[in-house]
Amino acid sequence: MLAVQLAHASGSYAYDVHLVDPRPAPGLGLAYSAPRPEYLLNVRASRISAFPDKPQHFVEWLLAKGLPADEDAFCPRQTYGQYIQECVSHILGEVANGMRIQLHSQAAVAATIDKKDNTVLVELADGHILRSHRVVLALGNFPPLGLAGAGLGGNFPPNYHPNPWTPGALTGIAPHASVLLIGTGLTSVDVLMALHADGHQGPIVAVSRHGWWPTVHGPARHAQYPSFYASELAHLTEVGAVVRVVRQHIRGAQAAGYNWRDVVDSLRPDLGRIWSNWPLVEQARFLRHVASVWSVVRHRSPEQNVAVLKQLRGRGQLRIHLGRVRRIAPQGADLGVEITHGGQHGQLTARHVIACTGPLLDYSRVQDPLVKSLREAGHLLPDPLHLGIQTNENGALLNAAGLASPMFFTLGPSRRPAYFESTAVPELREQAAALAQHILSQP
């Protein structure tokens, strides 16, 4: 989408834009590539346009394609992937503002600075070198490490699934096999939707520390709660103080006929400012004590998903087990899973174990060759809370001295240290538009 924003910029630019993406066609990425209609977007169609200045663009695209265009619906992710794919396909080649946009369907494996002319040499997997003045890391999410410290090392047995997003990850699960999910977040919900769609009949146990599932989205049409950030939150630098104010507003809002979701949603434009107001020690406190609750109330699930979850629990097929997974070990054809909770140890057994703990955010542990080359050269600095990459306000990468790079930029989940909330389309489209304008404003 950054490339699309560059292509749509007004003016005239004799720029070459190289779009490097190892997938056969750009746009699908990880989130939208699975050919499973049961994987739904978590945002309604009317709020997920790729363009911040064209809020109805996605709905209009659905209409033009003859697809169901209910703006209050949660569309399949694969449909949204087709939408992004088409946005990108329209800009390849030479565009109206003079840019030439070229796709390279392979991975970048290294990036080094040529100090003779202050350019970056980006090496592709086939050995080809791209010389560029600006390099943007739009890398999305990295796959989880799969609980490598749980006793399995890196030699995972075939019935342990460290990454449910791997193509075909769930195809080897027999219909009546027992399944254990590690986690009860949105990834677990997706796995449950896939198992249910595949007709799975075996018992499923979900293990998490708190046992909370994502809350359901509220009504599509609701009253907008007035913002209280400027008057009551802008000056607060402690997590506890912010939580107290928000809770007070939720109590008052519910008494006035609002939904608690209206209060949470009213904070969305200011979440980055609230996060950045906290010093590092307060941000760490939020991650320890509040983040799990926040993820449940902020990142909600469509009604269809919650209905399936209730159905699975109602007939006893899905059970919740509180605890933290400490160790996984083969037990014959099954896997034994050691659980701890409240100082007590327990043991569960399942034929298949699926890690649903979310993506790898810690860039000090990412082993991608491009990331490693930049990290080892000091161009990419992981943040101390292990959320992503340290950047300035424009997304420029910071070095150990705190200096912003004039060449390396990033956007998306890697900017969680700056915003914390940096994964949903409404935030990402704003980042893409802002970074495009920043790049074009530089000499």
Side-chain angles (χ1 to χ4, degrees), residues 216 285 367 375:
V216 65
R285 180 172 286 115
Q367 297 304 306
R375 187 174 62 217

Side-chain angles (χ1 to χ4, degrees), residues 76-289:
R77 284 185 218 160
Q78 64 184 48
T79 300
Y80 192 75
Q82 295 164 11
Y83 163 67
I84 297 296
Q85 202 169 24
E86 189 167 305
C87 290
V88 178
S89 67
H90 288 164
I91 67 164
L92 297 179
E94 187 165 347
V95 295
N97 61 12
M99 293 189 193
R100 294 173 298 274
I101 302 178
Q102 180 180 353
L103 173 64
H104 303 266
S105 297
Q106 55 182 303
V109 296
T112 56
I113 294 177
D114 187 342
K115 295 184 179 179
K116 291 182 292 186
D117 59 0
N118 278 333
T119 57
V120 181
L121 303 178
V122 178
E123 180 183 351
L124 304 185
D126 67 354
H128 187 69
I129 301 294
L130 300 176
R131 185 181 293 271
S132 182
H133 296 89
R134 303 284 184 272
V135 172
V136 179
L137 306 177
L139 303 175
N141 283 316
F142 287 94
L145 293 180
L147 297 179
L152 289 173
N155 300 316
F156 298 138
N159 53 340
Y160 176 68
H161 309 270
N163 180 12
W165 302 112
T166 302
L170 307 180
T171 56
I173 300 178
H176 293 280
S178 56
V179 175
L180 185 145
L181 309 180
I182 304 174
T184 53
L186 288 172
T187 301
S188 285
V189 172
D190 283 340
V191 171
L192 286 172
M193 295 307 107
L195 291 173
H196 178 71
D198 291 344
H200 189 78
Q201 299 297 314
I204 304 170
V205 175
V207 177
S208 80
R209 290 181 295 120
H210 44 68
W212 300 328
W213 295 97
T215 53
V216 65
H217 276 284
R221 310 294 175 173
H222 57 87
Q224 186 171 353
Y225 191 78
S227 172
F228 55 98
Y229 169 77
S231 59
E232 300 184 54
L233 298 178
H235 64 287
L236 298 180
T237 59
E238 294 181 349
V239 172
V242 171
V243 170
R244 283 192 293 273
V245 172
V246 172
R247 282 178 170 165
Q248 289 169 2
H249 273 270
I250 287 176
R251 287 193 293 268
Q254 289 178 320
Y258 288 94
N259 189 292
W260 62 264
R261 297 168 182 82
D262 302 333
V263 178
V264 174
D265 292 346
S266 75
L267 297 173
R268 185 162 191 169
D270 305 302
L271 292 175
R273 287 190 284 268
I274 293 172
W275 171 260
S276 61
N277 274 354
W278 294 333
L280 194 64
V281 64
E282 287 295 309
Q283 292 178 348
R285 180 172 286 115
F286 174 87
L287 294 177
R288 286 196 306 272
H289 301 297

Side-chain angles (χ1 to χ4, degrees), residues 190-435:
D190 283 340
V191 171
L192 286 172
M193 295 307 107
L195 291 173
H196 178 71
D198 291 344
H200 189 78
Q201 299 297 314
I204 304 170
V205 175
V207 177
S208 80
R209 290 181 295 120
H210 44 68
W212 300 328
W213 295 97
T215 53
V216 65
H217 276 284
R221 310 294 175 173
H222 57 87
Q224 186 171 353
Y225 191 78
S227 172
F228 55 98
Y229 169 77
S231 59
E232 300 184 54
L233 298 178
H235 64 287
L236 298 180
T237 59
E238 294 181 349
V239 172
V242 171
V243 170
R244 283 192 293 273
V245 172
V246 172
R247 282 178 170 165
Q248 289 169 2
H249 273 270
I250 287 176
R251 287 193 293 268
Q254 289 178 320
Y258 288 94
N259 189 292
W260 62 264
R261 297 168 182 82
D262 302 333
V263 178
V264 174
D265 292 346
S266 75
L267 297 173
R268 185 162 191 169
D270 305 302
L271 292 175
R273 287 190 284 268
I274 293 172
W275 171 260
S276 61
N277 274 354
W278 294 333
L280 194 64
V281 64
E282 287 295 309
Q283 292 178 348
R285 180 172 286 115
F286 174 87
L287 294 177
R288 286 196 306 272
H289 301 297
V290 185
S292 58
V293 180
W294 174 252
S295 67
V296 167
V297 300
R298 169 67 187 84
H299 299 285
R300 302 168 206 144
S301 198
E303 297 96 326
Q304 301 97 308
N305 290 358
V306 174
V308 170
L309 199 152
K310 288 182 177 178
Q311 177 184 340
L312 294 175
R313 296 189 69 180
R315 67 190 187 202
Q317 185 180 358
L318 171 64
R319 296 184 296 108
I320 314 299
H321 194 98
L322 298 182
R324 186 191 297 269
V325 173
R326 289 300 185 189
R327 186 173 179 82
I328 304 171
Q331 287 188 359
D334 295 331
L335 291 172
V337 182
E338 182 183 336
I339 309 292
T340 61
H341 181 66
Q344 302 296 313
H345 291 258
Q347 185 84 8
L348 299 174
T349 303
R351 178 58 51 91
H352 292 269
V353 174
I354 307 173
C356 304
T357 51
L360 174 62
L361 307 175
D362 184 356
Y363 269 72
S364 68
R365 304 174 72 192
V366 171
Q367 297 304 306
D368 175 80
L370 175 63
V371 171
K372 283 184 65 178
S373 78
L374 292 171
R375 187 174 62 217
E376 291 169 359
H379 302 310
L380 184 155
L381 196 64
D383 75 297
L385 296 179
H386 313 298
L387 295 175
I389 302 174
Q390 296 196 44
T391 63
N392 75 352
E393 66 278 6
N394 296 313
L397 271 60
L398 301 180
N399 63 17
L403 300 177
S405 170
M407 304 175 186
F408 294 111
F409 297 84
T410 191
L411 76 166
S414 56
R415 296 206 67 193
R416 280 171 61 94
Y419 299 113
F420 186 71
E421 291 289 347
S422 190
T423 55
V425 168
E427 282 77 33
L428 302 190
R429 65 188 178 196
E430 295 285 352
Q431 289 184 29
L435 183 53

